Each structure stands twice: as C-alpha cells, then as structure tokens.
Amino acid sequence: MNASPAMPARTATPSRDRPMLAIGLRLLAMVMLSTMFMLIRLAGQNGVSAPEMVFWRQAMAVPLIAGCLLATGRIGVLKTQRLRNHAMRATTGTVGLVCNVTAAMLLPLPVGTTLGFTAPLFAVLITALVLREHVGPWRWTAVVLGFVGVLLITRPGEQAVPLAGLAAGLGAGVVVSIVSFQIRDLARTEAPIACVFWFSFFGALLAAVLLPFYGQFHAPHVWALLVAVGLAGTLAQLLITAALRYGAVASVVVMDYSALIWATLYELTIFGALPPSSIWAGAPLIILAGLIITWREHTLSKRIAPTSALDEGATEEIAA
C-alpha cells in the first residue's frame, strides 16, 4: 500500500543532483502516503465507502495540481496528444486505487503497507511470463523470497488475515505492476506531473459514475477527513515527482520501505493495536526481495527497471 508509482530517466543534469534532498523528499512522501491511508481507514470507520473515497481522492488532486502548475507558469506541461493512453492508464490505476483503499479499510495498516511492497515481484513475473524477457536467478530468487514472506504474513496463527483484505492488498500489487509498464510507455513523451494529473482527472471521471450509488451526505468532520485524504495523497505525488528531480531512482526507491514504520506507528497510536506478529516474519523477506530486484535492475543498463516504474504515478497507487 505504498507504496505504491517506467518513468523517464531524470532529465536533470548531473549538476542538479542533490541526493540528500532527494532522499528527504522521498521520506516525506512516504509519511504523506502513510498518513493518507490512516485517514482512509478513519473515513471508512465513519461510513465512507471505497468508491466514494476514490472519487474524492482523485477529484481533489485535479485543482490542486493544476493550481500549482498555474502558479509556477508550467501549465503547458499538461498538453498532450495521448489522452487515450492516459485514460487507459487511469482505468487500470483506478482499479489499483480501489484495491489499496479496500486494503486500508480491512487490514492493519502495517499488513496492507507490506503487501503493497509486492508490486516489484509481480513486475518481474510480467516481465518473464508476458513480455518474455530474460529474468536471471537473482530476480527469480527475490520473487520466491517475497512470496514466502506473503505466506508467512497470511498464516499468523491466532490472528487471521481477512481474505477480502488479502485479495485487495495483493490485487493492488498486481495492478501497480501493470500500471508501471503503462507509465513507462507514457514516459517516452509525457512529463511526470502530466501523468499524475491525467491519472487523477480520468480517475475522478470513472469514479463519478458510481457516486449516485455510493455517494452520501456526511458530518462536517467526515468531510474534513476526505479533504485531508486528497491533500495528503496529492502532496505525496508532488513530493515523489520532486524527489526524482534531484536523485536517481535506485537511490530514492529504497526509502519507500520507511512507510512500514509510519504505518506501524499509526496502527499503534491512532487505532490502539499492535501489528500481527506474522508481519515481523514476512515483512523482512518481502523488503529484501524488493531490494534485490531494485539492485539487480539498477545493474542492468539495457532497460529501465520495472521497479523504477513505480516511482512517479504508480507509487501513489500503491499508496494512493
């Protein structure tokens, strides 16, 4: 549930590299993503349905991003001749966002966050089984380790993981891995912030279709929660984009695992619950698998890593 977000290689010149700033921005983005999922959980406990949550999450991002671009004189970056591709990506991504929202509502935050880390595993499977590209022993080993971690999490003994929540968490990983390849294609011609904007725009239109069935009036404090969800998610997207202006993907993507720390703190302080004991057995294996894949892809210069595709828009879908 991370995060979640291939994007183009950074266009910044080497002189603009500021690795510590990039890491700091990425860490802050993970705080915002974890905060968004915590707020989603609270809103869900106050009667907000998943489809309605997705609509407000997406709809609020549109004016916020457009306003930022207008204020900085960069609104022209939204110009595109690939609206159909953006719409297709948004359709897939919105399914992933529904999965993430559902997982946040049904699972302990650390469990949902950890399941979001499986996206690189599914990206490797797609690379090997669908795209028929060569996958070496390092990445296959990582995939096996990662799914062993999933099995450990789903067999917690006295604490059962809800099947619907598990399906949503793993479904988000599958969808985000698919989205990563769509983003890689869009990145050939589109700016990262444009990918984020059009994802939110078309995603809001899709979710609006369900509003007559799921939308409802809420108390003021619930509307405040929905506003906060939109703000946290949009700020996370902007921070993710900013981080990659100043640092390499392989350097900043490792910071995504810090989301597990914040998810655990929120679970303890806001919801008064300890993470299930199984998370401490399964999470290290899933994180190790992701690190192996990130490292291995970083060493392969002949193609952009599937995990790097999670950085701009797709990470937000793990997370947003």
Side-chain angles (χ1 to χ4, degrees):
M1 220 167 33
N2 213 299
S4 5
M7 300 313 296
R10 290 177 296 108
T11 56
T13 61
S15 62
R16 294 183 62 185
D17 282 0
R18 299 174 65 183
M20 296 309 297
L21 175 60
I23 288 172
L25 291 171
R26 190 73 175 204
L27 288 171
L28 186 56
M30 293 305 105
V31 174
M32 290 295 100
L33 287 178
S34 299
T35 301
M36 184 191 72
F37 283 115
M38 178 271 291
L39 293 168
I40 285 173
R41 176 98 159 265
L42 287 175
Q45 292 178 346
N46 282 271
V48 181
S49 65
E52 186 181 11
M53 196 96 65
V54 169
F55 170 77
W56 290 111
R57 164 64 194 91
Q58 298 288 63
M60 290 193 60
V62 174
L64 288 172
I65 295 173
C68 288
L69 292 175
L70 279 171
T72 56
R74 299 176 58 221
I75 195 67
V77 302
L78 298 182
K79 184 177 179 180
T80 181
Q81 296 182 349
R82 305 185 67 188
L83 282 178
R84 181 178 178 182
N85 299 81
H86 281 292
M88 292 175 61
R89 178 261 164 136
T91 300
T92 308
T94 300
V95 173
L97 185 51
V98 171
C99 289
N100 275 310
V101 168
T102 302
M105 291 178 171
L106 297 179
L107 297 174
L109 292 178
V111 174
T113 298
T114 301
L115 291 178
F117 297 151
T118 62
L121 311 181
F122 289 111
V124 171
L125 291 177
I126 292 173
T127 297
L129 303 179
V130 179
L131 301 181
R132 301 293 183 181
E133 295 183 16
H134 173 70
V135 172
W138 278 105
R139 284 177 289 169
W140 280 125
T141 300
V143 169
V144 172
L145 280 176
F147 284 115
V148 168
V150 172
L151 288 175
L152 290 174
I153 289 174
T154 56
R155 296 185 178 277
E158 70 281 357
Q159 293 177 294
V161 175
L163 183 59
L166 175 63
L170 292 178
V174 174
V175 173
V176 169
S177 65
I178 295 171
V179 168
S180 70
F181 292 96
Q182 292 177 315
I183 294 176
R184 183 166 64 177
D185 174 62
L186 282 168
R188 294 184 294 106
T189 59
E190 310 296 287
I193 195 65
C195 293
V196 174
F197 175 85
W198 290 114
F199 165 62
S200 298
F201 177 83
F202 285 113
L205 291 181
L206 289 169
V209 175
L210 297 177
L211 268 189
F213 305 98
Y214 291 95
Q216 53 185 308
F217 293 104
H218 299 290
H221 74 280
V222 179
W223 286 117
L225 284 174
L226 291 173
V227 170
V229 166
L231 289 173
T234 302
L235 181 57
Q237 286 183 312
L238 296 175
L239 287 167
I240 288 168
T241 301
L244 289 186
R245 292 181 59 195
Y246 300 108
V249 167
S251 299
V252 299
V253 73
V254 177
M255 299 301 105
D256 290 4
Y257 298 110
S258 66
L260 183 57
I261 298 173
W262 298 106
T264 302
L265 288 175
Y266 281 137
E267 187 72 17
L268 181 62
T269 59
I270 303 298
F271 302 105
L274 288 170
S277 58
S278 60
I279 198 73
W280 309 118
L285 292 180
I286 295 174
I287 291 173
L288 177 60
L291 291 173
I292 291 173
I293 292 171
T294 300
W295 163 75
R296 187 56 181 163
E297 294 289 352
H298 182 57
T299 64
L300 300 175
S301 59
K302 54 186 176 184
R303 66 184 181 87
I304 299 175
T307 46
S308 67
L310 305 179
D311 283 324
E312 298 287 346
T315 295
E316 204 279 336
E317 290 155 29
I318 300 177

